Amino acid sequence: MLIKIRKKSDLKESQITDHSVYLNRRSIIKTLAFTAVTIPFVKPAQAGLFNLFSENENGSDNSGVIFARSKLEYLKNSNHQSLSPITPEKKILQYNNFYEFGTGKADPFEYAGQFKVDPWSLTIDGLVDKAITLNYDDLLKRFVIEERLYRMRCVEAWSMNIPWLGFSLASLIKLASPKSAAKFVRFETLYDPKQMRGQGSSRIGGGIDYPYIEGLRLDEAINPLTLLSVGLYGKTLAPQNGAPVRLVVPWKYGFKSIKSIVRITLTDKAPVNTWQKIAPSEYGFFANVNPDVDHPRWSQESERFIGEGNLFAQTRKQTLPFNGYQEEVADLYKGLDLKRYF
Ligand SMILES: Nc1nc2c(c(=O)[nH]1)N[C@H]1C(S)=C(S)[C@@H](COP(=O)(O)O)O[C@H]1N2
Ligand SMILES: [Mo]
């Protein structure tokens, strides 16, 4: 990791570290120094991350530790089968952002294994005629589960192609019968510091004021692309990916795709999402993937695609407007200045 020989065109990893660089200077410097020294040698999770990107795709490292997941019945959706290459399952399971379990990419895999997803309770409330509460079985059985191959683009300029399983958020919102005053949807992650080590420690959890909150405009929320995911690669979600249920909004930066949701509230006001609250000049409400609007600290023109092969061999590719979904979603933003409303 530290011996990469860079091409001039490559972005420096130090330019794109993680979302938490907003943190006060002192703790950033401490974190970086710690990371640089210990990645390959000391912490098992970081060794795991190192192995993950080593030459041997089939290596046995960590595979025994992967959280138990069960097979899901699902429909193949022919509209979404054309994406390739698909990111290997192991990387989707072991390279994550889920700050509730720590800010390191390997932390969620290491620390979320015991996370309890059953029983679970997801409530849809607010400006609706019929508030609904779904339990764990409802999430897996009440809706027709389909497979959606989607691009995933993190604001940190890395990307994956992921075979999600889930159902459209629209079908759930419809069940709740939104009132006409409802204009926005607010999402909330579980708050449980006993299970989520980062929620009890600002050092571990990146200084976020938990619970993690996200929001969409109602028209974005009921767009057919917007998915509530309950699985990937044919199985239920692992905790590190947001089990038992998480949002997937493929034309927006990954931070919009909030994990382990307990509450969905229809409102008349735009919710302030977690990253917008922390650094409003860096993370907006819309967060539509846009190669023409740079992050203040790095370019968004291209991305590091995480596919087969080791960390050093990963390819850069051009970032697409709306992450390649402009045909489906550009109309939602007609007349909106995308530079101003980033
Ligand atoms: N609750 C919660 N949801 C979250 C995050 C988080 O830290 N907490 N990270 C986000 C970010 S920055 C990204 S890129 C995606 C990563 O999803 P994945 O780890 O399943 O690939 O989850 C998003 N959802
Ligand atoms: Mo992200």
Side-chain angles (χ1 to χ4, degrees), residues 52-68:
L52 171 63
F53 289 105
S54 71
E55 292 290 351
N56 183 6
E57 287 290 317
N58 306 314
S60 59
D61 56 286
N62 278 333
S63 31
V65 191
I66 289 177
F67 182 83

Side-chain angles (χ1 to χ4, degrees), residues 56-88:
N56 183 6
E57 287 290 317
N58 306 314
S60 59
D61 56 286
N62 278 333
S63 31
V65 191
I66 289 177
F67 182 83
R69 298 157 64 211
S70 41
K71 280 207 170 129
L72 268 178
E73 297 279 314
Y74 62 92
L75 284 182
K76 294 244 176 211
N77 183 333
S78 54
N79 290 331
H80 298 279
Q81 297 305 312
S82 54
L83 209 55
S84 85
I86 300 299
T87 299

Side-chain angles (χ1 to χ4, degrees), residues 135-235:
N135 66 25
Y136 182 77
D137 280 349
D138 294 332
L139 289 168
L140 299 183
K141 291 179 189 144
R142 190 147 161 191
F143 302 86
V144 178
I145 309 285
E146 54 179 276
E147 180 171 64
R148 305 271 188 100
L149 302 185
Y150 280 164
R151 298 182 189 87
M152 226 280 283
R153 170 61 154 83
C154 177
V155 74
E156 297 161 350
W158 53 266
S159 66
M160 296 184 180
N161 289 337
I162 302 182
W164 299 109
L165 302 178
F167 52 91
S168 68
L169 176 60
S171 58
L172 176 55
I173 289 180
K174 216 164 122 191
L175 277 185
S177 301
K179 295 185 190 293
S180 58
K183 298 287 184 275
F184 294 91
V185 186
R186 178 188 185 275
F187 303 83
E188 188 175 317
T189 293
L190 179 72
Y191 181 73
D192 186 354
K194 285 211 180 86
Q195 292 203 77
M196 294 167 142
R197 61 198 281 274
Q199 290 182 333
S201 155
S202 111
R203 182 184 58 83
I204 295 170
I208 287 176
D209 181 16
Y210 292 106
Y212 194 97
I213 302 295
E214 259 307 333
L216 294 172
R217 253 177 16 198
L218 184 57
D219 60 344
E220 299 177 315
I222 62 173
N223 183 278
L225 284 179
T226 306
L227 192 71
L228 277 180
S229 172
V230 295
L232 59 84
Y233 263 104
K235 293 178 226 143

Side-chain angles (χ1 to χ4, degrees), residues 81-140:
Q81 297 305 312
S82 54
L83 209 55
S84 85
I86 300 299
T87 299
E89 184 174 16
K90 192 173 158 180
K91 290 178 179 169
I92 300 172
L93 292 172
Q94 297 188 40
Y95 187 86
N96 301 99
N97 275 332
F98 199 168
Y99 278 22
E100 283 85 340
F101 294 101
T103 57
K105 292 288 183 284
D107 285 345
F109 173 71
E110 184 179 13
Y111 294 107
Q114 303 300 315
F115 184 63
K116 266 192 106 143
V117 300
D118 182 13
W120 193 263
S121 168
L122 168 61
T123 298
I124 297 84
D125 63 4
L127 296 173
V128 296
D129 284 330
K130 282 179 271 170
I132 300 173
T133 296
L134 301 174
N135 66 25
Y136 182 77
D137 280 349
D138 294 332
L139 289 168
L140 299 183

